[in-house]
């Protein structure tokens, strides 16, 4: 694999890993801070609902703006929304309102970022003038990694809870992975995110 291909897969894995860790830590943190199972359900419903709505428009965003830029902004937004949790907890204390607000903010980054990153792969292959069949192999490798990370991410989140307990400070880890994903994406050529004009 070339340097740019490795960077692409690195950012893809870091982003999914952060989301997987957060999928375990976030609801447990809501439950720990509010002591209310219903509150955890409300936060999950709000973030899932917003994510579904954003998903409808994600394709439009990805088809109008540079996909590399969208990916970087999305990962940075996810990192900021998660990193805000321990800050808010230390200054004001986390409440249901804060959890919903920051959860919704994070949802704005997840779907567009994933869509943008996946759509960059064909342009990456074309940029490197790879041999015939390279795209199929890389898509297969990406999907295999995705399947592994869907297990590893939540598993790592559970391990963090077991070792350190449930605390807002643990969210720095998932914020770090999202920020790292954005920084790695910065190393990719900008033109692989360019949206080509339709010839139809």
């Amino acid at each position: 694999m070339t340097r740019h291909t490795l960077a692409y897969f690195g950012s893809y894995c870091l982003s999914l890993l952060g989301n997987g860790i957060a999928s375990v830590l976030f609801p447990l943190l809501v439950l720990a801070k509010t002591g209310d199972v219903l509150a955890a359900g409300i936060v999950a419903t709000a973030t899932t609902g917003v994510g579904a709505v954003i998903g409808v428009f994600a394709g439009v965003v990805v088809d109008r703006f540079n996909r590399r830029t969208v990916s970087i902004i999305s990962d940075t937004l996810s990192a900021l929304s998660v990193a805000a949790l321990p800050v808010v907890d230390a200054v004001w204390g986390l409440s249901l309102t804060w959890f919903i607000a920051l959860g919704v903010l994070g949802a704005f980054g997840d779907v567009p970022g994933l869509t943008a990153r996946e759509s960059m792969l064909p342009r990456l292959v074309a940029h490197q003038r790879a041999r015939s069949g390279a795209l199929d192999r890389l898509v297969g490798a990406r999907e295999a990694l995705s399947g592994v990370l869907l297990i590893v991410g939540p598993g790592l989140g559970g391990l963090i809870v077991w070792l350190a307990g449930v605390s807002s400070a643990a969210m720095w880890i998932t914020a770090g992975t999202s920020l790292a994903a954005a920084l790695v994406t910065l190393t990719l050529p900008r033109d692989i995110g360019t949206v080509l004009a339709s010839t139809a």
Side-chain angles (χ1 to χ4, degrees):
M1 287 190 182
T2 66
R3 175 172 60 87
H4 290 151
T5 302
L6 290 173
Y8 172 86
F9 278 109
S11 66
Y12 185 85
C13 290
L14 285 166
S15 183
L16 277 186
L17 185 64
N19 288 341
I21 296 172
S23 71
V24 172
L25 295 181
F26 190 68
L28 289 178
L29 185 60
V30 175
L31 186 58
K33 292 296 181 178
T34 64
D36 188 356
V37 176
L38 180 59
I42 292 172
V43 173
T45 301
T47 54
T48 302
V50 170
V53 173
I54 294 171
V56 174
F57 298 100
V60 176
V61 173
V62 169
D63 285 340
R64 288 180 179 271
F65 301 98
N66 186 285
R67 291 158 182 173
R68 174 180 172 270
T69 303
V70 172
S71 180
I72 292 169
I73 292 173
S74 296
D75 281 326
T76 303
L77 191 61
S78 293
L80 290 174
S81 67
V82 174
L85 287 167
V87 175
V88 170
D89 193 24
V91 178
W92 298 286
L94 286 167
S95 64
L96 178 59
T97 302
W98 277 112
F99 279 119
I100 292 175
L102 294 175
V104 167
L105 179 63
F108 272 93
D110 290 341
V111 178
L114 179 62
T115 304
R117 186 172 285 106
E118 290 188 343
S119 62
M120 281 195 295
L121 189 55
R123 291 282 297 144
L124 176 62
V125 172
H127 178 272
Q128 298 178 138
R129 295 181 174 85
R131 291 177 296 177
S132 176
L135 178 59
D136 291 338
R137 289 192 296 274
L138 291 177
V139 168
R142 185 185 66 194
E143 295 308 304
L145 283 171
S146 177
V148 171
L149 289 168
L150 287 175
I151 299 172
V152 172
L156 186 55
L159 180 62
I160 292 170
V161 171
W162 180 64
L163 292 174
V166 179
S167 70
S168 58
M171 301 304 290
W172 287 114
I173 297 172
T174 186
T177 58
S178 295
L179 182 59
L183 292 175
V184 173
T185 304
L186 271 172
T187 67
L188 294 171
R190 192 178 189 281
D191 62 340
I192 72 167
T194 302
V195 180
L196 300 178
S198 174
T199 57

